Amino acid sequence: MLPALFSRPRLAATVGLMAWAASMAAGAQAAAHYPSKPITLVIAYPPGGSTDAVGRLVGTELAQRLKQPVVIENLGGAGGAIGAQKVARAPADGYTLLLAANNEMAIAPLINKAIKYRVFQDFTPISLVATQPMVLVASQASGVKNTQAFLSLLRQNPGKYSYGSSGVGTALHIAGEMVQQAGDVTMAHVPYKGVAPLTNDLLGGSLEFGVFVLSSGLPHIRAGKVVALGTTEARRSPVTPDIPALAETSAFAKVDINSWFALMGPAKLPPHVLAALRGALADTLQSPGFRAKLEASGNVVAAPGQDMGAFLKAQVGKYQQIVEAAKIDDR
């Protein structure tokens, strides 16, 4: 007969409590050892573009440092909003991340009221990865070789000439609007479905001007197929010191805008997960091999530890001013 201390009901309750405690301890141990399974890195654009290229490099580096596979998921559509929305709705466990770009983080929510996610409430900023300027180019057929000729032509022929971007509300479109506002000139905007058709028309001479991210435009600039009029940051890019910044021309002195890439997660990532991801990415950003690969394609690698939240707020403020002045609406 069991003593009263170990009566059958009490014994069962004790065993159940011990099992629960063991289960909780195992769960806590698994959580503390993040990551313990593969991570999905969402890239909100099709394969082959600048965001995809940066994302795949980041994924490879994170996999090596976190000792778990990083699976790339290209989920394009709606200017990056579809991929961003998936991550915003994902569990906050660090196993679904976003290689974010300025399109879906800083621009799309300003111009598309159908977007459901809230940038500052639905994401955890992890780290800025890299920035690169955009570049204003002229077709060879236009005969324009520098910013003075560009300004002279447009001021003598307001609205006659066109510039192309990769779509309404993209960073390229916003940069083109900033150039027009700063230079007090007018061009018709031609939105393309991606960079490839834009490139074809520029090289073919049926489009006079266009805006590229530097990594996309550089091969055509180097080959002499288009003319680089200037990059869009306040100073020349260290990657292309031979290409002037637009801001070197007095009319464009206030032009300062770039394209950027960042690692983001769902809101409320646990502190130990956030620390692990930030540590792994900080090591990545200081890796000579990683830096060389990004810089070769026109990027400037971000400094580890930069306040991504403050950076994002500043970027949204800058884009909002341009969007409101240009009355851009993509609904």
Side-chain angles (χ1 to χ4, degrees):
M1 181 175 181
L2 288 169
L5 180 63
F6 294 105
S7 62
R8 292 184 189 280
R10 185 169 294 180
L11 180 62
T14 302
V15 170
L17 182 62
M18 291 173 65
W20 175 82
S23 172
M24 291 296 290
Q29 186 177 26
H33 286 85
Y34 170 86
S36 58
K37 62 181 182 180
I39 297 168
T40 296
L41 180 59
V42 175
I43 298 173
Y45 302 91
S50 57
T51 309
D52 180 65
V54 172
R56 289 177 184 276
L57 286 174
V58 169
T60 299
E61 295 287 337
L62 289 181
Q64 292 174 359
R65 287 166 172 76
L66 296 173
K67 310 301 182 186
Q68 286 291 340
V70 174
V71 180
I72 301 297
E73 181 180 357
N74 290 95
L75 190 59
I82 292 175
Q85 185 164 291
K86 174 175 180 172
V87 175
R89 293 177 175 176
D93 54 11
Y95 291 101
T96 305
L97 305 173
L98 176 70
L99 196 288
N102 40 352
N103 280 355
E104 68 272 19
M105 287 290 107
I107 303 173
L110 296 174
I111 66 172
N112 188 344
K113 304 304 180 185
I115 288 176
K116 303 299 183 184
Y117 57 81
R118 300 162 302 167
V119 173
F120 296 107
Q121 290 81 25
D122 295 336
F123 297 92
T124 298
I126 298 169
S127 177
L128 186 66
V129 174
T131 63
Q132 63 171 294
M134 287 162 275
V135 57
L136 176 67
V137 302
S139 69
Q140 290 289 0
S142 72
V144 172
K145 303 298 182 185
N146 53 52
T147 53
Q148 293 299 338
F150 172 75
L151 287 169
S152 177
L153 181 69
L154 295 185
R155 286 171 177 171
Q156 292 173 23
N157 303 276
K160 179 179 178 180
Y161 295 97
S162 302
Y163 84 96
S165 80
S166 55
V168 173
T170 61
L172 304 185
H173 178 198
I174 300 297
E177 293 301 317
M178 188 179 217
V179 166
Q180 291 186 88
Q181 291 171 22
D184 193 24
V185 294
T186 304
M187 293 182 286
H189 173 230
V190 181
Y192 288 82
K193 292 183 177 180
V195 174
L198 162 63
T199 303
N200 290 338
D201 281 0
L202 275 169
L203 270 56
S206 58
L207 180 70
E208 294 88 13
F209 306 105
V211 183
F212 287 116
V213 290
L214 186 58
S215 57
S216 297
L218 201 51
H220 308 297
I221 294 167
R222 296 291 189 232
K225 295 179 179 179
V226 294
V227 178
L229 300 180
T231 52
T232 61
E233 291 177 328
R235 295 176 178 83
R236 296 189 185 202
S237 169
V239 179
T240 55
D242 56 320
I243 298 177
L246 288 171
E248 294 174 29
T249 299
S250 59
F252 299 126
K254 293 184 179 180
V255 171
D256 185 15
I257 192 170
N258 60 19
S259 185
W260 49 264
F261 310 98
L263 190 64
M264 309 281 286
K268 300 179 181 179
L269 283 182
H272 71 280
V273 171
L274 186 55
L277 288 168
R278 283 180 171 164
L281 198 52
D283 289 344
T284 295
L285 297 179
Q286 296 176 84
S287 164
F290 177 80
R291 296 179 70 87
K293 289 175 184 176
L294 279 190
E295 288 169 0
S297 60
N299 291 284
V300 175
V301 179
Q306 185 169 345
D307 187 336
M308 182 59 201
F311 174 85
L312 187 55
K313 287 181 181 179
Q315 288 291 301
V316 171
K318 177 180 290 189
Y319 284 117
Q320 188 166 12
Q321 290 180 1
I322 303 168
V323 166
E324 289 176 353
K327 297 181 172 60
I328 299 171
D329 194 331
D330 187 24
R331 281 178 286 183

